[in-house]
Each structure stands twice: as C-alpha cells, then as structure tokens.
Amino acid sequence: MADEAVAALTYPRHLVPDELTLPLGDDQQALLVNVGPGHTAHDLAVLVPGSPAVVFCGDLVEEPGEPQAGPDAVPAHWPAALDRLLSLGGEDALYVPGHGAVVDAGFVRAQRDALATRFGVS
C-alpha cells in the first residue's frame, strides 16, 4: 500500500521562488508565498486577502503547544519565516496553523520568540 501511495505522488511542476498569485474565481485571489526555510527547507504559506486577511501557515505555527522540529527543519531560519508570516497578514489577520485552532498575530509572535530562544537565534 505504501508503494502505491509513493507511486501516486505528483512532483511539483511550478517552483515558487518568492510569490505566486492564485486565482480563486469571482475576482478573488490568494497569494502563495515562499516564506523561507523553518519547519522544513521549503515552507510555503497562503495569504487570502480580506477583512480580516487569512494566512494559512502550515506547520510553521502549531496550536496548542510548541511546533515540532524534525530532521528537515532549519531552526536558525524559523523565526525569520514567522516574521515573514506576520508581515504578510499583519496585526489583524487570522492565522491558520498546521495543527490546532485559528490564532492571532500575538500568538504567532509569541511562538516566534519562543523558537528564537529555543534555537538560540534572534
């Protein structure tokens, strides 16, 4: 069964070196953003503009508890990736973590600071 799952994987056909606009229909767009390495070497986030804006963070942000770092994590760059998320959405955005409930900018900032302390980076 695992072999079938691996065979069914579709490899990326579009690199996202910085940002890519995604049409959602009805004049709505989302922005796919390469926020840099952090939880993995190639973390992407999705910004859906609006009032409030919504930022889909993936596992860069986890709630409750602190994010888990596997062998493919890049801890020295993780806080900078969270800074990029915060600059995308701003103070009033809703942030959708990879695990848990929707959070606000204060939660993301606190997690950023905790990761910086945990990994010894600023």
Side-chain angles (χ1 to χ4, degrees), residues 32-61:
L32 181 62
V33 180
N34 182 338
V35 294
H39 181 259
T40 70
H42 306 283
D43 288 303
L44 296 174
V46 177
L47 169 67
V48 180
S51 185
V54 178
V55 181
F56 293 88
C57 307
D59 286 345
L60 282 165
V61 177

Side-chain angles (χ1 to χ4, degrees), residues 5 9 12 20 33 43 91 110 112:
L9 288 175
L20 179 66
V33 180
D43 288 303
E91 286 300 310
R112 179 248 182 258

Side-chain angles (χ1 to χ4, degrees), residues 11-95:
Y11 290 91
R13 291 181 289 244
H14 305 285
L15 296 179
V16 182
D18 190 34
E19 298 178 352
L20 179 66
T21 300
L22 304 170
L24 301 177
D26 294 330
D27 295 326
Q28 187 83 7
Q29 297 179 345
L31 188 64
L32 181 62
V33 180
N34 182 338
V35 294
H39 181 259
T40 70
H42 306 283
D43 288 303
L44 296 174
V46 177
L47 169 67
V48 180
S51 185
V54 178
V55 181
F56 293 88
C57 307
D59 286 345
L60 282 165
V61 177
E62 292 184 22
E63 188 283 329
E66 61 185 42
Q68 300 303 305
D72 60 339
V74 186
H77 294 279
W78 202 330
L82 293 178
D83 287 338
R84 173 81 185 207
L85 284 178
L86 288 165
S87 71
L88 281 172
E91 286 300 310
D92 297 327
L94 300 174
Y95 294 85

